[in-house]
Amino acid sequence: MYDVVGVGIGPFNLSLAALADGVADPGLRGLFLDAKPAFSWHPGLLLDGTTLQVPFLADLVTMADPTSRWSFLNYLRAHDRMFPFFFSERFHIPRREYDHYCRWVAENLPSCRFDARVTEVAWDGTSDAFAVTYRSSAGEVARVWTRRIVLGVGTEPVVPEPLRALLDSAYEGARAGAHGGAHEGAQGSAHEGRVLHSADYRTHRARLAGLDDVTVVGAGQSGAEVALDLLRHQDGTGAGGPYVRWLARTPAFAPMEYSKIGLEHFTPDYIRYFRALPEERRERLVREQWQLYKGVSEETLAEIHDELYERTIGGTEPRAALQPGVAIEGARAESAADGGGYVLTCRHTEQDKVFEVRTAAIVSATGYAAARPDFLDALAKLVDWDDRGRYRIDGEYRVSLDPTVTGALYVQNAELHTHGVGAPDLTLGAWRAATILNAVAGRTVLRVPERAAWTTFGVPGGST
């Protein structure tokens, strides 16, 4: 019997595991499970030169407990990198370094167990606890019990409807190439890595760089980084490497909101304000605030501009096109006789005109969304889902369950609809983990601030 079991070991549940590691008197017995063989964080986008979009202080613990031994600064000390980091004067660290830091924490926390795929979470009324069943890649099955579950299973890649069939066929072809006969293998090698989500970009990067035309879809940071990386694969004259086309539904390739006051949307103050709004207003706000969490860093946009500028030296035209305000309405694969590429049917949303794009490959950098994991099927009837099949979540990140369930189910990064744009942001990760930890422990283990913003969201208290 454990006090808490976490399912999924991404940064958010890893933050909870790290903060719980220092709990004593009485101790908190925790177990965190993940199907992967080891920690990894967005491996498909760990490109050289890419950085976190949040300062290094938004590590696993510092915003809740700067004295923790699992801080990023202590990681630097453990790896004899404190002086180099100091001299580098970095506030935003390389993404690869953040991944390595998290891996260091995960490998050293005794509560983290990898190669443990959770297959079922069920309420056991006899034991008055959740029964959590998990399996290793070798087929070994184990079961543990707990009164508190924290879901940190992350989000899944989202692909626009017109591209899904192409994406599925591309991956089916890849699987056929890996497992099938000669004919299937040929089909697999032809399709593999030609239509993909940006989550898999690094795996297929070399193949894409060798094509003559690649289309990137999506105006967020991932789309910008993929487009920039492909531009850098062009040679100095612009003749070699792929033609790079960057399409986006948004009206502009806009920078992410990064003003000091604007960032106060990523505070507990704004979460409390957002949670109190009517549901229909919350839905509208999330759509309207896309630049708070779906924009591109100014640095990346500047680098793309600089790459294009370099291509115009000597009067040449850059082999690239940046097209915002474009919605993809259809997609089809061409036959080998027609070139074997893909045709996208697009609509310019402001001009309301339709046009077609022919391309050799498509990278869908269209983000991620929370999804209901299969292992919750046994518990699904006991969850109080909202009208759209999403969790109802309270201020302590507890999911609303049937009254017969006396245990507690918590979620991390599945509450965009109830808590606002800060749900996927690393800035609030340690604060949210501390909030859950206090709820799990039934006492204040870590003090969380009552107020963190200068901004007053909503009507000020006591005003007329």
Side-chain angles (χ1 to χ4, degrees), residues 176-223:
H179 303 293
H183 174 73
E184 292 174 313
Q187 180 187 15
S189 61
H191 286 278
E192 185 181 2
R194 300 279 296 278
V195 182
L196 62 143
H197 192 274
S198 56
D200 297 322
Y201 174 70
R202 192 178 178 207
T203 303
H204 302 286
R205 181 186 182 205
R207 180 190 298 270
L208 292 169
L211 300 176
D212 60 356
D213 184 295
V214 179
T215 297
V216 181
V217 181
Q221 184 69 22
S222 297

Side-chain angles (χ1 to χ4, degrees), residues 133-286:
T133 306
Y134 60 95
R135 179 189 300 270
S136 72
S137 57
E140 299 168 339
V141 178
R143 180 174 293 154
V144 295
W145 281 262
T146 180
R147 287 187 50 78
R148 303 165 194 88
I149 299 277
V150 183
L151 299 182
V153 294
T155 51
E156 295 183 351
V158 172
V159 175
E161 182 66 38
L163 297 180
R164 288 177 193 168
L166 296 180
L167 184 76
D168 291 343
S169 65
Y171 281 106
E172 284 298 330
R175 284 191 287 270
H179 303 293
H183 174 73
E184 292 174 313
Q187 180 187 15
S189 61
H191 286 278
E192 185 181 2
R194 300 279 296 278
V195 182
L196 62 143
H197 192 274
S198 56
D200 297 322
Y201 174 70
R202 192 178 178 207
T203 303
H204 302 286
R205 181 186 182 205
R207 180 190 298 270
L208 292 169
L211 300 176
D212 60 356
D213 184 295
V214 179
T215 297
V216 181
V217 181
Q221 184 69 22
S222 297
E225 289 176 356
V226 170
L228 176 61
D229 188 66
L230 289 169
L231 282 172
R232 287 172 170 166
H233 277 87
Q234 297 177 354
D235 62 24
T237 65
Y243 182 94
V244 181
R245 184 182 300 99
W246 189 16
L247 306 179
R249 177 188 287 271
T250 54
F253 296 108
M256 183 173 288
E257 169 60 60
Y258 208 73
S259 65
K260 293 178 180 179
I261 296 298
L263 288 176
E264 291 193 341
H265 286 86
F266 301 97
T267 59
D269 306 61
Y270 185 74
I271 290 176
R272 285 191 289 268
Y273 163 76
F274 185 88
R275 289 193 65 251
L277 294 174
E279 181 178 349
E280 65 274 11
R281 293 186 186 175
R282 295 200 304 260
E283 300 287 346
R284 176 175 55 81
L285 268 177
V286 169

